[in-house]
Amino acid sequence: MKIIYNDGHVDECPADDELHVIRHTAAHILAQAVKHLYPQAHFAYGPATEKGFHYDVDLGDVKLSDEDLKTIEKEMQAIVKQNLPIKPFALGREDAIKLMQERGEIYKVEHIGDLPEDATLTFYQQGDYIDMCVGPHLCYTKALKAFKLTALSGAYWKNDKNNKMLTRISGIAFRNQEELNEYLKMMEEAEKRDHRKIGKEMGLFMLCDEGPGFPFFLPKGMQLKNALIDYWRDIHYAADYVEVSTPMIMSRHLWETSGHWDHYKDNMYSTKIDDEDYCIKPMNCPGGVMVYRSQPHSYRDLPLRFAEFGTVYRYEQSGELHGLTRVRGFTQDDAHLFVTPDQIKEEFLKVMDIILYIFRALDFQNYEAQISLRDPKNKTKYIGSDENWHLAEQAIIDACAEKGLKATQVEGEAAFYGPKLDFMVRDAIGRKWQLGTIQVDYNLPERFDLTFTGADNQKHRPVMIHRAPFGSMERFVAVLLEHTAGNLPLWLIPTQCVVLPVSEKYNDYAHKVAAQLEEMDVRAEVDDRNEKVGRKIRDNEMKKIPYMVAVSYTHLRA
């Protein structure tokens, strides 16, 4: 596949970059189509993404519908058919601003204003459309073989809620029609497996306008959640964890010390108590630190493993909320381990055992891992000594090798406070989800001046390890529902058996049968609605109840 770079030279596209270039070109063709249909449109950002492409557009008072997407897509097809050449050119900053002003691109002008004064800006032109872009792109519009517009949503300019809400038009693009058809088929299956739809059918949770981003777990949902928690506790108590609970609201001073206030305050909820600033916790970690700091520790005490089911609250923009997978309030199966530097590898091995045990029990058989390392060319942005970083990174690499876990090493992806190991699982239809993480942290022990007394009777700094096998309980439930299509393992399903009286006169007997099943630790209920048995069976199949028992006169005689 030939592509054109912003300096005008044409070359073969590296295989790993093909989808990105295709989708980036699709975004430009989308913008050109929108401009043809809506001349008043002003364009913001139009990137390629891992899942496709989108463009954020200011359409004034125009509100698009799904029918409008079809019209825009048809115009895109017409542009592709014209086989317009896509050509780059460069301008200095002043000329670039002048060009964008002439074309009425107010957002592009503002964006240029954020760039260095000596910047040389590159543009790509196809027919009557010009866009500021670093490229590369396909050489002709006809090289875009397979695409489809998929969604409309809202997005703030520069991702700032104080700015104007723009219309985000999203789409997908692939190398050929076969790949697109395969993706659409997967998306059709994904729609059937949508956890929001399944959760409603099974009566597990609800979402409402009175609590946007704050899900309500219903009785059956709490049964499922509690079954997961009980399972989690059995595993962790056997692994020598102790459970703690830390406050939901803590002083702003704590979050200033931890660094969250400086780096995360826009995503935090705060309030005033006794004329002082307090924050609703977005993370459980500082609470775990306070537990450790509550008493002195010796090297003989370590490792310490403090587990917590802590509910945290983070401000997410309304346009980014999605069912249980993107919420504003969620419960993490956190644990904070405090170890000596030479205990890191052993603890990683033990945590990996827990995570992989959970994956196997819940039929997540297809998973991979990523080791996030620091950037060796820019070590100054990381906290901690070279010696400690090398020790931690090597411990993670060795632990993965010892477990036979194939893990990709990615430099520059580590957090500033330490390296980490993330687990990604593929569900039943091939989608990738990040579940389970283990992170080494040198930052919080340093900020809070945590110590332990070593064998030399001197004070030493412990290393903190964060880990969460489920990650977020809400998100884990969502992924589990979509992976299983709601057909949960029998030990997790809230209602394992439903008793169906064939008519009202058998209701009392049906309740007796259900009671006997409950005595045998089978979670059972009775469907005694005044409906035909066939209707009851269909309705309970929708609820994913695995066993049904119909009772009638034959049972009464027995």
Side-chain angles (χ1 to χ4, degrees):
M1 185 178 83
K2 298 285 188 182
I3 60 174
I4 187 165
Y5 291 85
N6 60 23
D7 61 0
H9 86 275
V10 175
D11 206 343
E12 287 292 332
C13 182
D16 291 344
D17 295 337
E18 284 185 354
L19 280 179
H20 180 85
V21 174
I22 288 169
R23 289 166 178 173
H24 202 173
T25 304
H28 281 217
I29 294 174
L30 163 62
Q32 185 176 13
V34 169
K35 194 68 174 177
H36 287 176
L37 296 168
Y38 307 95
Q40 80 281 12
H42 302 296
F43 298 97
Y45 296 129
T49 67
E50 185 180 351
K51 295 183 179 179
F53 63 92
H54 67 253
Y55 223 120
D56 295 341
V57 188
D58 183 350
L59 293 166
D61 296 329
V62 174
K63 304 293 182 184
L64 297 182
S65 68
D66 290 341
E67 285 300 313
D68 294 319
L69 282 187
K70 296 177 183 177
T71 303
I72 297 170
E73 190 175 301
K74 187 175 180 180
E75 181 63 21
M76 289 177 68
Q77 290 166 347
I79 293 169
V80 167
K81 192 174 181 180
Q82 290 177 50
N83 200 22
L84 300 172
I86 302 174
K87 297 180 179 180
F89 62 92
L91 293 175
R93 192 168 183 271
E94 288 186 11
D95 288 336
I97 290 175
K98 183 179 178 181
L99 175 65
M100 291 294 98
Q101 286 175 335
E102 290 172 351
R103 299 182 70 83
E105 296 297 350
I106 55 176
Y107 297 100
K108 304 289 185 183
V109 171
E110 184 177 338
H111 178 47
I112 294 171
D114 295 334
L115 301 175
E117 291 188 6
D118 60 349
T120 297
L121 303 169
T122 54
F123 295 81
Y124 279 81
Q125 180 169 5
Q126 62 210 35
D128 56 3
Y129 180 73
I130 298 174
D131 205 342
M132 185 171 69
C133 183
V134 296
H137 283 282
L138 300 174
C139 297
Y140 295 88
T141 58
K142 201 171 185 179
L144 182 63
K145 302 293 186 183
F147 64 90
K148 184 175 180 61
L149 298 184
T150 56
L152 291 166
S153 58
Y156 292 110
W157 166 233
K158 293 184 176 179
N159 204 29
D160 184 341
K161 66 180 183 296
N162 297 311
N163 290 335
K164 185 172 183 178
M165 175 72 78
L166 307 176
T167 300
R168 174 167 291 179
I169 306 172
S170 300
I172 51 174
F174 289 90
R175 298 175 185 86
N176 52 57
Q177 192 63 39
E178 289 75 19
E179 287 185 2
L180 176 60
N181 290 342
E182 184 179 338
Y183 177 84
L184 293 174
K185 184 177 179 181
M186 185 189 77
M187 292 307 295
E188 184 180 345
E189 181 62 27
E191 188 175 346
K192 296 176 186 175
R193 293 170 176 262
D194 190 320
H195 72 277
R196 296 168 298 178
K197 172 177 172 288
I198 294 172
K200 184 176 181 179
E201 292 169 349
M202 296 179 69
L204 301 178
F205 60 88
M206 71 176 195
L207 306 163
C208 64
D209 293 338
E210 287 74 13
F214 303 103
F216 290 68
F217 273 84
L218 304 175
K220 290 184 186 298
M222 281 307 299
Q223 281 183 297
L224 169 58
K225 195 173 178 180
N226 286 334
L228 285 169
I229 290 172
D230 290 343
Y231 171 68
W232 184 96
R233 283 192 169 121
D234 287 344
I235 294 170
H236 284 77
Y237 290 169
D240 294 327
Y241 283 72
V242 292
E243 193 168 356
V244 300
S245 177
T246 62
M248 185 72 65
I249 301 175
M250 290 179 278
S251 167
R252 170 177 163 177
H253 299 303
L254 175 78
W255 303 102
E256 289 174 334
T257 303
S258 71
H260 289 95
W261 183 258
D262 290 335
H263 299 286
Y264 205 73
K265 63 176 178 290
D266 290 342
N267 294 88
M268 296 169 65
Y269 296 101
S270 58
T271 186
K272 278 196 176 292
I273 302 175
D274 299 331
D275 295 325
E276 291 188 16
D277 290 330
Y278 281 75
C279 300
I280 301 174
K281 63 179 178 180
M283 284 94 170
N284 296 305
C285 341
V289 168
M290 298 304 290
V291 172
Y292 179 88
R293 206 171 71 166
S294 65
Q295 57 184 320
H297 296 286
S298 158
Y299 71 97
R300 294 187 181 90
D301 301 327
L302 305 185
L304 283 171
R305 308 179 184 97
F306 298 130
E308 176 176 18
F309 276 101
T311 301
V312 299
Y313 294 89
R314 303 176 185 176
Y315 174 69
E316 300 283 357
Q317 294 183 18
S318 58
E320 296 177 342
L321 300 176
H322 181 78
L324 297 182
T325 60
R326 195 70 180 265
V327 293
R328 289 170 170 160
F330 54 94
T331 301
Q332 292 182 301
D333 65 319
D334 257 331
H336 300 103
L337 285 57
F338 297 89
V339 304
T340 64
D342 59 358
Q343 291 173 334
I344 292 175
K345 177 185 170 183
E346 182 181 356
E347 287 307 304
F348 256 77
L349 287 168
K350 290 179 178 179
V351 175
M352 289 166 67
D353 281 340
I354 290 173
I355 291 175
L356 298 180
Y357 182 82
I358 289 173
F359 285 177
R360 287 191 293 269
L362 296 172
D363 198 33
F364 288 114
Q365 301 295 339
N366 190 357
Y367 54 83
E368 56 194 64
Q370 176 179 302
I371 303 172
S372 296
L373 308 171
R374 66 175 172 169
D375 182 354
K377 298 177 182 177
N378 188 15
K379 295 181 179 180
T380 56
K381 70 177 184 178
Y382 303 98
I383 189 171
S385 69
D386 280 349
E387 180 185 358
N388 281 340
W389 269 88
H390 176 74
L391 182 65
E393 290 178 335
Q394 196 59 49
I396 298 172
I397 293 168
D398 291 345
C400 289
E402 193 167 318
K403 286 292 177 190
L405 177 66
K406 187 178 180 181
T408 304
Q409 298 179 30
V410 183
E411 292 182 345
E413 288 296 311
F416 74 93
Y417 51 78
K420 61 178 180 173
L421 177 67
D422 292 319
F423 291 84
M424 278 69 70
V425 301
R426 289 194 181 273
D427 65 15
I429 59 174
R431 295 170 302 177
K432 188 185 292 187
W433 303 87
Q434 196 267 308
L435 294 177
T437 186
I438 319 172
Q439 301 179 354
V440 177
D441 187 351
Y442 296 111
N443 178 51
L444 290 183
E446 187 75 28
R447 282 179 170 269
F448 285 92
D449 193 25
L450 302 185
T451 62
F452 67 91
T453 303
D456 58 1
N457 209 33
Q458 299 298 310
K459 295 294 184 182
H460 298 271
R461 188 82 70 209
V463 179
M464 188 175 182
I465 296 177
H466 309 253
R467 38 109 296 164
F470 291 149
S472 150
M473 292 298 297
E474 286 73 11
R475 189 168 182 272
F476 192 85
V477 167
V479 175
L480 188 60
L481 290 175
E482 299 203 4
H483 177 56
T484 63
N487 299 304
L488 297 167
L490 185 61
W491 63 276
L492 270 182
I493 198 84
T495 302
Q496 296 168 322
C497 179
V498 61
V499 184
L500 311 174
V502 298
S503 71
E504 290 183 353
K505 63 182 177 180
Y506 305 119
N507 284 354
D508 289 344
Y509 180 64
H511 283 279
K512 290 179 181 178
V513 171
Q516 288 180 322
L517 290 169
E518 289 283 353
E519 288 176 4
M520 294 183 285
D521 291 328
V522 177
R523 293 187 290 274
E525 61 183 44
V526 177
D527 184 350
D528 55 9
R529 294 174 299 156
N530 186 22
E531 297 283 357
K532 293 183 178 179
V533 172
R535 171 66 184 272
K536 292 180 182 181
I537 290 172
R538 287 193 299 274
D539 289 349
N540 286 288
E541 283 177 342
M542 290 288 289
K543 295 177 182 178
K544 310 294 184 181
I545 298 176
Y547 293 100
M548 302 181 201
V549 178
V551 297
S552 63
Y553 181 75
T554 304
H555 295 84
L556 286 175
R557 291 186 62 183

